[in-house]
Amino acid sequence: MIGQQFVRFNVKERFILPLFVLNWLNASVICGDLFFHKFDRHVAGNGFHRILTTNIQFDMSDSGRWEHSFVSMETIPSGVFIDVDQLNKDTAILSEKPFDVEKPEFKSEEQLIFVYFSSQKNNHHSYNANFAVPIHLRYHMPLLSESSTSVILPAPTVLVKLNGKGGKVTAPCDVKNISQCHWEELRFPSSQEMSAIIMTLPVGNASMKFIVSLVTLMWTLTGCVILCYKIVKYREMDQQHAA
């Protein structure tokens, strides 16, 4: 199973990594010679098909310690799935197992994925990294008293690849999951703490179950009666023509 061992290892690591947060000018994050200024993450669109967009702005020195490669470790809840065929060429996803796009929410489980993306240089030390992932909400169990429900997309853990050893996290170098590289987990101060995204979607009304079932049964029986009548009628017409 692709990345299964890596998934289990890093779930443990994320809870034991020490927190290094320093104040720098406007509360930017310092990770060695890597200075973060902005982390923006939001979901665009309505209904069952949406776009998860992430944008990171930071300064990076030319010390050669960092590579311009990042991975976002995302926990996808049971109410969401990702169609990897919709990803653009600049975004790659490594997951423990493929998403079953047919299952409803109450038959699915949350899944850990790794979104690999790169950065673009704006000027001498300023960089920008962004990626967009199409996400789809699954159908939920009907509710008795509510017409909508919420799906919570937890905040991700963002890792930056080191050029050499020394990182606190060891993870696959890329989506091919062939070799291991050293990564550093990025932390944000409380003023810029990443928060979960809450999405609302409509659900069926369970109180209408009896009426809907009764009407469906009536129309099904009506269709069967009409179909049987047509079959018998055309068979009699064929017998008359044969005679």
Side-chain angles (χ1 to χ4, degrees):
M1 187 174 293
I2 298 177
Q4 186 174 13
Q5 183 177 0
F6 169 49
V7 171
R8 292 200 299 265
F9 176 79
N10 281 282
V11 168
K12 297 178 182 178
E13 286 291 320
R14 68 185 300 182
F15 291 108
I16 64 175
L17 289 178
L19 179 62
F20 295 99
V21 178
L22 301 175
N23 293 324
W24 179 263
L25 296 178
N26 58 345
S28 299
V29 177
I30 301 180
C31 187
D33 47 358
L34 188 62
F35 306 89
F36 275 76
H37 296 291
K38 181 181 179 181
F39 186 95
D40 177 66
R41 185 168 178 263
H42 64 275
V43 170
N46 297 308
F48 287 85
H49 310 287
R50 310 188 187 192
I51 303 293
L52 172 63
T53 302
T54 303
N55 183 273
I56 305 174
Q57 295 179 7
F58 57 94
D59 288 346
M60 180 184 293
S61 71
D62 295 328
S63 65
R65 184 185 179 192
W66 312 103
E67 292 188 15
H68 299 166
S69 296
F70 298 82
V71 61
S72 178
M73 189 162 60
E74 303 266 358
T75 300
I76 305 300
S78 59
V80 176
F81 71 88
I82 296 175
D83 187 351
V84 295
D85 294 330
Q86 294 181 316
L87 299 175
N88 59 44
K89 62 180 181 180
D90 297 325
T91 305
I93 289 182
L94 174 64
S95 61
E96 182 180 10
K97 58 183 179 181
F99 284 94
D100 190 334
V101 301
E102 301 295 335
K103 283 186 176 180
E105 180 273 338
F106 50 88
K107 291 186 177 181
S108 303
E109 299 178 351
E110 71 175 30
Q111 189 167 329
L112 196 63
I113 67 168
F114 304 87
V115 184
Y116 291 84
F117 58 99
S118 58
S119 62
Q120 297 178 347
K121 191 171 185 178
N122 297 327
N123 50 51
H124 186 57
H125 290 295
S126 179
Y127 293 83
N128 182 77
N130 60 79
F131 65 90
V133 177
I135 61 175
H136 306 276
L137 303 182
R138 298 182 185 273
Y139 288 102
H140 285 59
M141 183 76 75
L143 301 177
L144 285 173
S145 58
E146 301 290 339
S147 60
S148 64
T149 188
S150 297
V151 176
I152 300 176
L153 189 63
T157 298
V158 181
L159 307 175
V160 59
K161 186 190 293 185
L162 297 178
N163 188 8
K165 297 182 178 181
K168 304 297 190 301
V169 181
T170 301
C173 297
D174 52 39
V175 72
K176 295 180 181 179
N177 196 17
I178 298 176
S179 57
Q180 299 287 309
C181 291
H182 293 270
W183 302 75
E184 189 75 40
E185 182 177 355
L186 305 179
R187 298 285 190 173
F188 292 81
S190 58
S191 60
Q192 297 183 14
E193 184 178 359
M194 293 179 289
S195 58
I197 294 177
I198 301 177
M199 298 173 287
T200 303
L201 72 157
V203 294
N205 189 343
S207 63
M208 301 293 291
K209 181 178 180 180
F210 175 77
I211 297 177
V212 172
S213 300
L214 180 61
V215 172
T216 302
L217 178 62
M218 291 177 58
W219 278 109
T220 302
L221 293 177
T222 301
C224 291
V225 171
I226 294 175
L227 183 60
C228 292
Y229 171 77
K230 293 293 185 180
I231 292 175
V232 173
K233 181 178 179 180
Y234 281 108
R235 179 177 296 179
E236 292 177 351
M237 293 177 59
D238 289 340
Q239 291 176 353
Q240 292 177 358
H241 286 298

